[in-house]
Amino acid sequence: MVQLELTRLLQYELGFHVVDSADSADELVILARRFRPALVILDEYSLPDLDRLQQQHSCPVLLYAAAIPLAGVLCVTARWGIYDYIAPLQLGAEQAFRRAVLQQLQAMPIMPRVATFISPLRHIVSAQPQSLTVIGASTGGTAAVEQLVQALCPGLPSTLLIAVHLPAYFTASFAKRLQRLTPLPVKIGVAGMPIEEGQIIIAPGGQNMVLKPVQRGPWRVWQIGFSTKPNLSADAPSIDMLMRSAAKAASSRALGIILTGLGQDGTGGAKAIRARGGQVIAQSQESAALFSMPGSVIRAGHANAVLPLDQIAEIINQRAALPAPAACISLTLATVN
């Protein structure tokens, strides 16, 4: 779909001549040497081929990045000819995609006169979330989470990770109840599940769900994993463990929410989120069935705000309306030869 849309835009709307596309690194080099294109467009999984390409034919490269590069990445990759990137094509946002591509073409060091060469764009993945929201709760938590989720806007460009102290056999029924309250997809976390925007992931009872980094081409992205490390609290899922991993994944884009519950689970996780520039909200005493967990976070000084449940939902929705920051990824240069 992306390659077809780019070809149509370049050839039929902008008058460029799209000469060919490649299905492999060898074909990429052969075609570039044959056609000497004025521009190459490729996806991030073709980055390891760029050294060979530039040796055969040096030209500007426009990157189709399925996940938005972090600040400074393009400065580093400029040695391969990359001067800018195209953000992912979202369903229903074709007009915005066309405008963005036109802007990137106009910013080229040398505007194409003759030909444009498009690489396969074969590995297209869902966009990384703009932010991560981790909700932790214990006693009275299922009802509080249900009320919170019901008030969320559809199409939320964030990922919600929910950890409630529940026995494993209650997880499936809890997920079904949440799904009836929201159009957002509700999933139970499984190992290897990718973190994508606009979804709710529930930590299964009895397991300590965390986020783990994985390599996807040259990019580092995040997916669901499970920790076997000892947990200071006897409760599983551990809110502390999940929040600490979210803080590493999202830094300032992480929002931690501690709802009703008994004990202190979540206090350590809230500290980790605050240490990396994220925000923490604790449920107010008058709206919490049990104030022990949010109260512990407040007394430790880790809460940015103390709010009743309905106002917490408003904060999540407001964050979703903010301009998109850089996605939760990083570039590992060692993977690119």
Side-chain angles (χ1 to χ4, degrees):
M1 176 182 176
V2 175
Q3 185 165 320
L4 179 62
E5 185 67 23
L6 275 172
T7 302
R8 184 185 298 115
L9 171 64
L10 293 166
Q11 189 157 302
Y12 299 108
E13 296 188 28
L14 300 177
F16 296 168
H17 176 43
V18 179
V19 293
D20 216 326
S21 64
D23 293 321
S24 67
D26 290 337
E27 190 177 1
L28 174 71
V29 173
I30 291 171
L31 290 176
R33 188 168 53 206
R34 178 189 304 169
F35 291 108
R36 315 296 291 179
L39 170 67
V40 170
I41 301 176
L42 48 72
D43 61 32
E44 68 261 45
Y45 289 85
S46 303
L47 281 176
D49 309 329
L50 277 175
D51 269 346
R52 293 178 58 195
L53 173 66
Q54 294 298 340
Q55 289 171 10
Q56 297 295 326
H57 174 64
S58 180
C59 68
V61 175
L62 188 57
L63 180 69
Y64 180 90
I68 305 170
L70 290 175
V73 166
L74 292 178
C75 295
V76 177
T77 55
R79 68 186 179 94
W80 295 307
I82 296 174
Y83 73 94
D84 215 328
Y85 75 95
I86 305 171
L89 170 61
Q90 303 291 342
L91 187 63
E94 288 80 6
Q95 291 298 327
F97 181 75
R98 292 189 184 99
R99 288 194 298 269
V101 173
L102 180 59
Q103 289 174 358
Q104 309 307 351
L105 291 174
Q106 290 172 337
M108 277 190 61
I110 301 175
M111 279 294 289
R113 300 176 189 170
V114 181
T116 300
F117 173 82
I118 300 180
S119 81
L121 301 175
R122 56 191 178 273
H123 300 286
I124 306 304
V125 298
S126 299
Q128 292 290 293
Q130 294 180 15
S131 60
L132 293 176
T133 300
V134 183
I135 301 173
S138 187
T139 308
T142 55
V145 170
E146 288 171 15
Q147 183 179 335
L148 191 63
V149 165
Q150 192 171 18
L152 296 178
C153 293
L156 199 69
S158 177
T159 297
L160 268 67
L161 306 170
I162 298 175
V164 180
H165 298 158
L166 286 175
Y169 52 83
F170 282 134
T171 306
S173 60
F174 179 46
K176 289 179 181 178
R177 293 201 306 273
L178 285 186
Q179 190 61 87
R180 289 195 290 265
L181 299 173
T182 177
L184 297 169
V186 178
K187 303 177 181 179
I188 299 173
V190 295
M193 177 184 290
I195 302 300
E196 300 173 0
E197 67 177 28
Q199 64 180 0
I200 298 173
I201 302 177
I202 300 174
Q207 300 182 63
N208 292 322
M209 189 175 81
V210 294
L211 301 185
K212 291 190 173 181
V214 292
Q215 290 298 133
R216 188 173 290 167
W219 307 110
R220 176 172 292 174
V221 296
W222 297 83
Q223 66 183 23
I224 295 297
F226 293 92
S227 176
T228 57
K229 294 181 180 179
N231 179 17
L232 293 179
S233 168
D235 298 305
S238 167
I239 300 167
D240 282 335
M241 286 186 175
L242 182 56
M243 284 190 168
R244 288 191 186 106
S245 67
K248 291 179 181 179
S251 298
S252 62
R253 296 175 300 275
L255 172 64
I257 298 173
I258 302 297
L259 302 179
T260 174
L262 183 65
Q264 298 180 341
D265 193 15
T267 301
K271 180 181 179 180
I273 289 176
R274 289 294 304 274
R276 289 180 174 260
Q279 294 185 320
V280 173
I281 299 174
Q283 186 177 4
S284 62
Q285 185 169 5
E286 66 274 11
S287 67
L290 280 174
F291 191 59
S292 179
M293 274 178 29
S296 176
V297 172
I298 296 167
R299 288 190 299 274
H302 303 322
N304 293 93
V306 180
L307 299 172
L309 208 54
D310 56 346
Q311 291 184 27
I312 294 176
E314 292 177 12
I315 294 295
I316 298 174
N317 290 330
Q318 288 170 9
R319 281 169 60 90
L322 295 176
C328 309
I329 59 173
S330 60
L331 179 67
T332 303
L333 295 176
T335 65
V336 182
N337 298 318

